[in-house]
Amino acid sequence: MAEVKKAMISPSILAADFAKLGEDVADVCGCGIDYLHIDVMDGMFVPNISFGAGVMKSLNSYTTVPYDVHLMIEDPDRYIENFVTDNTEFITVHYEACSDLKKTLAHIHSLGVKAGVSVKPKTAPEVLDEYLDDIDLILVMSVEPGFGGQKFMPDSLDKIRYYSALKDEKGYSYVIEIDGGVGEANADIVREAGTELIVAGSAVFGAKYRAAAIRAIKGGI
Ligand code: DX5
Ligand code: ZN
């Protein structure tokens, strides 16, 4: 039997119940997750507003895993500092939202945090080629950013394969993450393509048995 490829998971709190966010976060932290995915939307870069750093900081006493912050905001340098906490491992900005990506990556690193870059579905994967030495995580969007619960775009797997092949070939150290529309039904093809970290919102918080859903999405414990 072929070996099952495994991946880490980062549940998106966008799909949690905001009225009992701490409780929901503590619950999934007890179910074998690796990171918490913090979706920050500004109503400019994407047509939706979610929450800011204050909400994330209020979760510091509930989480037992590090934050994986996804900033869907225009000109993110203005707000990066606000998202740095002892729990923050990655801060990810959008390629499309930065006027000087090299400077933004240096800014994130200067704060002692790992730097991620996300690309929207219509952005060509090659745009990141010149920055790969400075990138700790690549977040491939498999839906148009802005909303949870959308349908997975299968073309995103080619992008995952592109970054995965380049990583193998050149020895880069970035983590390959996917975000949008991933659940138990398609997690295997997503992992097979080379994804190392899977974001899942509705498939985790909406599951009847969250621990089982998490295990299935990761491909095992
Ligand atoms: C979309 C967000 C995603 C989203 C994932 O803009 O970046 O993280 O919440 O949600 P699901 O897993 O429900 O597609
Ligand atoms: Zn996200």
Side-chain angles (χ1 to χ4, degrees):
M1 222 169 82
E3 200 191 320
V4 178
K5 275 199 188 169
K6 295 192 180 170
M8 298 180 288
I9 193 166
S10 186
S12 165
I13 62 165
L14 194 62
D17 181 346
F18 286 2
K20 53 180 182 73
L21 196 49
E23 208 179 296
D24 262 1
V25 163
D27 182 50
V28 293
C29 282
C31 292
I33 66 170
D34 302 282
Y35 291 94
L36 260 191
H37 189 75
I38 310 293
D39 277 317
V40 182
M41 305 179 181
D42 66 350
M44 294 287 286
F45 181 70
V46 290
N48 196 8
I49 296 174
S50 57
F51 49 77
V55 168
M56 186 193 85
K57 285 177 181 159
S58 71
L59 295 172
N60 281 345
S61 54
Y62 293 87
T63 187
T64 56
V65 298
Y67 296 139
D68 148 39
V69 180
H70 180 191
L71 297 182
M72 286 163 275
I73 65 182
E74 205 55 60
D75 192 8
D77 285 79
R78 297 173 298 155
Y79 292 103
I80 283 168
E81 266 92 345
N82 297 9
F83 290 90
V84 178
T85 69
D86 287 348
N87 291 324
T88 309
E89 182 161 334
F90 294 104
I91 293 184
T92 296
V93 296
H94 266 268
Y95 168 81
E96 305 86 357
C98 297
S99 53
D100 186 343
L101 184 59
K102 207 155 177 81
K103 200 166 132 218
T104 302
L105 294 171
H107 183 188
I108 298 172
H109 284 142
S110 75
L111 299 165
V113 174
K114 294 180 188 166
V117 182
S118 183
V119 281
K120 297 210 288 182
K122 292 194 188 87
T123 301
E126 297 83 5
V127 299
L128 298 186
D129 285 0
E130 61 183 290
Y131 306 100
L132 293 175
D133 274 329
D134 298 321
I135 295 177
D136 302 301
L137 176 144
I138 297 178
L139 175 50
V140 171
M141 289 308 301
S142 41
V143 297
E144 283 298 338
F147 301 91
Q150 301 183 73
K151 201 169 169 297
F152 180 75
M153 300 166 86
D155 284 358
S156 59
L157 295 178
D158 287 337
K159 230 178 250 179
I160 295 286
R161 289 186 196 104
Y162 176 84
Y163 293 125
S164 182
L166 213 52
K167 181 174 172 171
D168 284 349
E169 187 189 322
K170 305 252 169 80
Y172 289 118
S173 59
Y174 53 73
V175 173
I176 304 171
E177 182 177 32
I178 202 162
D179 186 4
V182 182
E184 289 179 59
N186 56 2
D188 49 352
I189 52 163
V190 163
R191 292 192 312 270
E192 209 45 55
T195 306
E196 297 161 320
L197 177 58
I198 297 176
V199 177
S202 23
V204 166
F205 288 100
K208 189 163 177 206
Y209 301 106
R210 288 173 176 168
I214 286 164
R215 202 178 316 117
I217 292 167
K218 292 177 71 165
I221 307 272

